[in-house]
Amino acid sequence: MPPELLPLMGTILGGLIGFLSARFLWRTQTKHQRRILAIAFLLEVRRLKPMLQGYSNAFASLGKKTLISTPVYDHDGLYYATQKEICSFPSDLAESLYAFYMSLMEAERSRQVKEGDILLEFHAASVQAAILKANESLGNLERLLAKEAGEAA
């Protein structure tokens, strides 16, 4: 190789090494951030699970549509703080998360109807349907989150 090409080859090789190492570090950091976010969602889902199962059992035993007075999901929950990052998850997990939280938010919106509202029975049915839907999705969502978090499901 001609000696005048050595500096050019060194520059190209250095640039390539720099690019590959930066790409590797970026991928590692992204994977780590997704894992931490999956752990946070897994903890929140596990915190919500007893409430959702309790409401589902109560709805089954009551047999009539009733409104619940306690909040289903707070406006400052993890979903609201991190909803943009959800799309970084694999598509099946992202879709499950969105569906789960949409059900919770639907239940929360419908729950806030005032006593005496002419649509009270409709809202009560909407709350129950949304909570039952969220409760049904818990198993699959928990499995997907555990997998992303690196836990044995």
Side-chain angles (χ1 to χ4, degrees):
M1 177 182 306
E4 53 273 351
L5 289 181
L6 287 177
L8 178 62
M9 295 303 289
T11 303
I12 291 173
L13 186 60
L16 184 61
I17 290 171
F19 170 76
L20 292 175
S21 63
R23 183 176 164 96
F24 173 77
L25 288 174
W26 177 78
R27 283 180 175 233
T28 303
Q29 182 181 12
T30 301
K31 186 176 181 179
H32 179 71
Q33 288 172 338
R34 274 193 358 222
R35 182 178 171 274
I36 289 173
L37 189 58
I39 291 169
F41 274 115
L42 186 59
L43 291 173
E44 183 169 79
V45 165
R46 288 178 177 164
R47 181 185 60 82
L48 293 169
K49 187 176 184 175
M51 176 195 66
L52 293 172
Q53 290 176 334
Y55 281 139
S56 295
N57 293 338
F59 295 151
S61 65
L62 288 174
K64 67 176 191 159
K65 307 291 185 237
T66 54
L67 277 177
I68 55 176
S69 58
T70 57
V72 177
Y73 192 68
D74 296 326
H75 67 278
D76 59 351
L78 182 63
Y79 173 80
Y80 292 111
T82 61
Q83 68 189 93
K84 286 191 281 185
E85 285 85 6
I86 290 175
C87 63
S88 70
F89 287 130
S91 61
D92 54 345
L93 175 54
E95 288 173 20
S96 293
L97 276 169
Y98 278 122
F100 177 75
Y101 281 102
M102 290 300 117
S103 294
L104 290 183
M105 288 185 281
E106 172 61 30
E108 183 59 27
R109 276 190 300 272
S110 295
R111 181 196 69 79
Q112 295 177 5
V113 69
K114 302 289 186 234
E115 198 67 43
D117 189 312
I118 61 172
L119 296 175
L120 184 67
E121 191 171 320
F122 169 77
H123 286 289
S126 180
V127 168
Q128 288 184 16
I131 286 177
L132 290 172
K133 184 176 179 182
N135 188 49
E136 288 172 8
S137 68
L138 276 173
N140 185 48
L141 180 58
E142 201 169 357
R143 181 185 57 79
L144 291 170
L145 283 168
K147 180 181 172 186
E148 186 69 23
E151 282 189 13

